[in-house]
Amino acid sequence: MTGRRTAALLTAAVVALLPTTAQADVGYPDPQPVTGQQIIHDPTVIQLKSGGYVAYSTGGVIGARLSRDRVQWDDAGNAFAAPPSWWYEYNSTGDPWAPDISYRAGRYWLYYAVSSWGTNHSAIGVATSPSGLPGTWTDHGKVFSSDTTDTWNAIDPAVTAADGGLWMTFGSYWTGIRMVELDPGTGKARTGAPVHHLAARPDAPYAVEGPYVVRHGRYYYLFASYDACCAGVNSTYKIRVGRSASVTGPYADSTGTPMTAGGGDLFLASHGRYIGPGGESVFRVGGEDWIAYHYYDADDSGTPKLGLNRLSWTKNGWPVAG
């Protein structure tokens, strides 16, 4: 990741929670080779109606990259020329995190979070664009927020259309992964909508975040990032997954362990030079699912880079990175 959040994420307080070296597992596939601007954090990717791809990420004023072929990625500036003024309520630098892009009702929708490291005084905002390209976004303000009196943290949004409704998954640490229903017209949380609980870690520091829900067949699959990110080669991030017949849960792994009780099948973990994969999102290309994430390159001083893998499915309906 580049930008102001890097310094905050590499504080001594974070590093103190981590082992001196990450544990690697060689049983996972390498990401697809990419070229060009590979540095990224918390990527969200979509194939544009106009052709090619755009990836948005943490860093800058929601950093942007463009590609024609999903291999060569070029720096495309930022989604916004400057931070909307309301962002400064949540951090002094107007620094946004973890965007999520989607397309519906003839427009592209970009969700993102604004917060400060280590606090749940946080908010999720939304912007729309006719093209999905950087510099074309109109911000519409807050979608949902949390404060220190809440038991959840309103960051890391991901939006899913399901069962005739629109749902936003979010959450980081505190009590874990949550979900709230959105108004399809405004893209914002419905007034008085209940906050559903999808996943949690029973052990301190309750390290689960970065959720993403995707449907395959008759199930919804919840991907989430577990353990600690953002410390280069010392990161212990990994991606776990569970599934549910209902978008609001309950989600469980292949052994039946509920994700609210710490369950989740290990989907992707450190291996070789690819340390701490996480911050994931899923996108579709020609009927195929792909997963985007960041990892820390052990052969490049722990620089965060873009990981892309085809998402395959077993006969039993569980996802596999290809």
Side-chain angles (χ1 to χ4, degrees):
M1 177 181 69
T2 59
R4 294 179 291 269
R5 190 183 177 208
T6 304
L9 295 177
L10 296 179
T11 60
V14 174
V15 174
L17 295 174
L18 303 171
T20 55
T21 58
Q23 297 299 308
D25 187 320
V26 296
Y28 299 95
D30 294 347
Q32 165 194 292
V34 296
T35 57
Q37 178 53 277
Q38 302 176 46
I39 299 174
I40 205 165
H41 215 273
D42 307 321
T44 180
V45 178
I46 198 169
Q47 185 176 28
L48 298 169
K49 300 293 183 181
S50 59
Y53 303 84
V54 64
Y56 288 101
S57 67
T58 298
V61 197
I62 307 182
R65 293 147 190 80
L66 295 173
S67 176
R68 298 298 303 177
D69 57 7
R70 235 174 33 250
V71 175
Q72 170 67 31
W73 292 88
D74 299 314
D75 193 320
N78 297 281
F80 298 98
S85 59
W86 71 267
W87 291 6
Y88 293 98
E89 178 185 344
Y90 294 90
N91 62 60
S92 62
T93 53
D95 192 15
W97 301 350
D100 173 68
I101 190 171
S102 56
Y103 181 85
R104 63 179 178 82
R107 291 189 289 176
Y108 292 88
W109 299 72
L110 188 67
Y111 289 78
Y112 56 84
V114 282
S115 185
S116 298
W117 180 254
T119 175
N120 66 334
H121 176 59
S122 309
I124 292 166
V126 66
T128 58
S129 164
S131 67
L133 293 171
T136 67
W137 293 96
T138 299
D139 190 64
H140 301 291
K142 297 180 191 179
V143 170
F144 189 77
S145 62
S146 61
D147 217 325
T148 53
T149 56
D150 292 312
T151 58
W152 55 77
N153 191 10
I155 69 169
D156 294 357
V159 174
T160 303
D163 300 334
L166 192 66
W167 306 86
M168 183 178 71
T169 315
F170 65 92
S172 174
Y173 288 68
W174 274 264
T175 55
I177 305 306
R178 300 285 185 147
M179 175 178 276
V180 67
E181 187 175 6
L182 304 181
D183 181 319
T186 64
K188 298 183 179 184
R190 288 190 180 277
T191 302
V195 178
H196 302 276
H197 198 187
L198 306 190
R201 296 289 296 278
D203 50 327
Y206 316 112
V208 56
E209 58 187 6
Y212 197 93
V213 169
V214 62
R215 185 170 187 172
H216 178 78
R218 63 191 184 94
Y219 290 107
Y220 296 93
Y221 293 80
L222 171 61
F223 294 84
S225 299
Y226 284 58
D227 298 326
C229 88
C230 314
V233 295
N234 287 320
S235 300
T236 58
Y237 238 20
K238 56 184 66 72
I239 300 171
R240 292 186 179 272
V241 64
R243 73 184 184 188
S244 171
S246 169
V247 69
T248 57
Y251 287 85
D253 62 24
S254 61
T255 71
T257 303
M259 292 187 78
T260 51
D265 289 347
L266 193 55
F267 173 81
L268 191 63
S270 298
H271 59 285
R273 65 187 286 186
Y274 307 102
I275 304 301
E280 71 287 339
S281 61
V282 177
F283 64 102
R284 289 184 67 79
V285 179
E288 290 186 330
D289 294 317
W290 286 75
I291 189 165
Y293 55 92
H294 66 254
Y295 66 89
Y296 302 93
D297 190 346
D299 289 351
D300 189 15
S301 303
T303 300
K305 294 183 178 179
L306 176 63
L308 295 171
N309 286 83
R310 182 178 284 107
L311 192 59
S312 302
W313 301 88
T314 68
K315 291 182 179 180
N316 292 328
W318 287 96
V320 177

